[in-house]
Amino acid sequence: MVARVNRPVRVILVLLLLLELQLHVVDGIRIAGRHPMILLLVPIAAALEGDGTRGAVAGFIAGLVLDLYLETPLGLSALVFAIVGYGVAACERSVRRPEGWLQPAVAGIASGVGVIGLGIAAAVFGQPEYFRLSLIGAVLVVAVTNTIIATPVVRLVRWALGPVNLGGMHA
Amino acid sequence: MAVPRRTSRPRFTLGLIVLTAITLITLDYRADGGGVTGSVRDAARTVLSPIGDAVGFALTPIGNVVGGVLDFGRVRHENARLRDELAQDRSDVIAAQDAKRELQSVYDQLNLDDPGDIPAVAARVTGSSPSVLQFTLEIDKGTNDGIARGMPVVSGNALVGRIVRVTSNRSTVRLLSDPSLSVGVRLSRTGDLGVATGDGGDFVMSLVEPTTEVRRGDSLVTSGLQQSEYPPGIPVGTVKSATRDDSGLAQTVRVKSVVNLRRLSFVRVLQWSPE
């Protein structure tokens, strides 16, 4: 019961923490004019530590929170983040669960794919000017920085979400 | 050992999420930033802004330190370059004072607004966009201070962008570097017109005649043509390079902003709207 009450609080705390880190710390770090995107690690970490459902739901919520601060259509990041979360879990299912150094590597690759996904989604939903060659810089910056910071964020998300119930959730 | 079912529920959940997200996107797209989705956004930002201010007060110095360390080499180089430019600019100021007097008489004769006379609201930059696609920043003034959507934003006297979203005490500025922002510009030396569009870092001036002679260092100002979204004569940037298109029918000019759009602390919102 205590765990049930605490989990939403932990999730909100972690989301707010990562959002504020994104807005006030990460956005100040510019590499080649682009900044890292820490919130994209939320669905990836949820998928690595849980399953497709967790990855998709965590991605939708984290993306929606981010969308509140963006001028792209509301729901765009939520859509892409959810697909990234589900995709990481689906890829993980086809091979073995990544552990050790493989987790940051998967997080980095998935982050890069996520940024490309954001560009494609923006183009599909009426903002083609954002899907251009200069997006490669953002893909590289986000992929590399998310690889570096993946381990602590995965641990944070693991703490927030708690253990996954495979049987009960049909993971 | 029994293998847990791993496919049906996640796919169903993902399907539901995709449907919800597409519905939200459609609603927001149709409302054009307003409507229910716009109100939700504005309310969330207003509610979260005090938390953001408090956390920002504590965390922004950390971001500045990390950013400063990563930027140290570039900043030192930039500092040296700026000292050179300052010396040059001091002599240019003397020449500019005379030109300004002449310009003022032209403004008076043509009954045009002098950009320096437009009322403005000073604002502090409170944050930049968390997006990797867009280039925007947040300022601490909103409708309560007389700011409205579409107003031009300057730093010093140079254009940095325009207001795209306003709440009672916050506004979002779309920067010149954003690929979705286009500005009608004029080459100061030749008077040729073109359109400058953001490209992430710098911006690109297109629709320039192939016969136009464009030199590195040429300055660009807003054209201020009829129906323009910016007043005329606001400095926009300087030419970095110019290349002819493969077709030979136009040339593409890369332009560097007058101000560093990544390091803005204070800006001024010009209370100006197109006639």
Side-chain angles (χ1 to χ4, degrees):
Chain A
M1 183 66 190
V2 174
R4 274 186 187 177
V5 173
N6 281 342
R7 186 184 295 179
V9 177
R10 290 199 304 259
V11 169
I12 290 169
L13 270 178
V14 167
L15 265 179
L16 272 178
L17 173 73
L18 293 179
L19 176 70
E20 295 303 334
L21 278 174
Q22 177 75 55
L23 293 174
H24 298 290
V25 179
V26 175
D27 284 355
I29 302 166
R30 296 276 172 171
I31 303 160
R34 304 287 182 160
H35 58 70
M37 200 178 202
I38 198 168
L39 274 172
L40 188 47
L41 280 172
V42 173
I44 297 166
L48 287 173
E49 289 299 314
D51 51 38
T53 304
R54 275 193 172 191
V57 172
F60 181 75
I61 296 169
L64 206 57
V65 168
L66 185 66
D67 276 332
L68 294 172
Y69 288 86
L70 304 181
E71 295 309 314
T72 44
L74 188 76
L76 194 85
S77 306
L79 174 68
V80 174
F81 282 24
I83 293 171
V84 167
Y86 178 83
V88 169
C91 292
E92 181 192 50
R93 213 167 46 220
S94 61
V95 288
R96 66 184 177 86
R97 182 175 284 264
E99 280 170 5
W101 64 268
L102 211 55
Q103 269 197 351
V106 169
I109 293 165
S111 298
V113 172
V115 174
I116 296 170
L118 282 170
I120 292 171
V124 168
F125 290 104
Q127 294 181 311
E129 63 273 14
Y130 290 120
F131 188 60
R132 51 204 300 159
L133 207 60
S134 57
L135 193 64
I136 294 171
V139 171
L140 291 174
V141 168
V142 173
V144 171
T145 51
N146 278 9
T147 303
I148 296 166
I149 57 176
T151 304
V153 176
V154 169
R155 283 183 186 166
L156 202 63
V157 172
R158 183 196 298 157
W159 171 78
L161 294 176
V164 65
N165 181 354
L166 288 174
M169 293 182 74
H170 301 299
Chain B
M1 196 176 103
V3 178
R5 265 194 302 143
R6 296 176 68 100
T7 53
S8 59
R9 180 85 178 269
R11 275 188 195 163
F12 176 74
T13 311
L14 182 71
L16 215 60
I17 284 172
V18 168
L19 211 62
T20 311
I22 290 175
T23 307
L24 280 173
I25 292 168
T26 309
L27 283 173
D28 198 39
Y29 194 78
R30 281 176 176 270
D32 192 26
V36 178
T37 51
S39 304
V40 170
R41 244 181 188 150
D42 293 348
R45 285 187 190 186
T46 306
V47 168
L48 288 174
S49 64
I51 304 172
D53 287 347
V55 177
F57 181 76
L59 293 183
T60 303
I62 301 171
N64 290 343
V65 167
V66 178
V69 169
L70 289 172
D71 263 0
F72 181 72
R74 188 188 59 76
V75 170
R76 208 164 67 166
H77 176 72
E78 191 178 64
N79 192 26
R81 184 178 56 77
L82 288 173
R83 282 174 193 278
D84 285 346
E85 283 184 14
L86 182 64
Q88 175 65 43
D89 288 348
R90 276 180 178 147
S91 59
D92 288 349
V93 163
I94 298 165
Q97 280 169 344
D98 191 44
K100 193 178 176 185
R101 263 196 306 276
E102 287 177 20
L103 181 66
Q104 186 59 53
S105 69
V106 173
Y107 278 138
D108 292 343
Q109 284 168 30
L110 296 176
N111 202 20
L112 290 173
D113 291 329
D114 179 353
D117 292 341
I118 299 170
V121 178
R124 187 171 62 85
V125 175
T126 55
S128 59
S129 170
S131 170
V132 290
L133 302 178
Q134 294 181 314
F135 295 84
T136 61
L137 50 83
E138 297 281 324
I139 56 173
D140 67 345
K141 297 283 168 64
T143 49
N144 290 347
D145 307 282
I147 293 176
R149 194 175 165 181
M151 285 179 171
V153 182
V154 296
S155 172
N157 284 323
L159 188 70
V160 295
R162 65 192 284 245
I163 302 288
V164 288
R165 182 175 289 277
V166 200
T167 64
S168 56
N169 58 357
R170 284 279 190 282
S171 301
T172 305
V173 181
R174 177 158 286 152
L175 295 171
L176 284 176
S177 48
D178 191 290
S180 70
L181 193 75
S182 294
V183 183
V185 291
R186 180 166 47 83
L187 277 164
S188 295
R189 190 175 54 80
T190 64
D192 284 278
L193 300 171
V195 176
T197 308
D199 189 28
D202 304 319
F203 39 96
V204 176
M205 182 184 174
S206 52
L207 305 176
V208 183
E209 292 286 329
T211 50
T212 304
E213 188 202 351
V214 184
R215 292 183 198 154
R216 188 185 161 96
D218 277 355
S219 56
L220 268 73
V221 294
T222 50
S223 62
L225 294 177
Q226 204 173 15
Q227 304 294 322
S228 172
E229 291 167 328
Y230 305 91
I234 300 180
V236 174
T238 52
V239 172
K240 268 176 83 176
S241 64
T243 50
R244 283 204 163 68
D245 291 354
D246 294 338
S247 61
L249 297 174
Q251 52 183 326
T252 302
V253 180
R254 290 205 73 82
V255 181
K256 187 173 184 251
S257 175
V258 175
V259 290
N260 187 345
L261 298 173
R262 296 171 198 161
R263 301 219 169 270
L264 294 169
S265 300
F266 293 91
V267 293
R268 288 188 308 129
V269 182
L270 301 182
Q271 292 177 302
W272 182 92
S273 61
E275 292 297 323

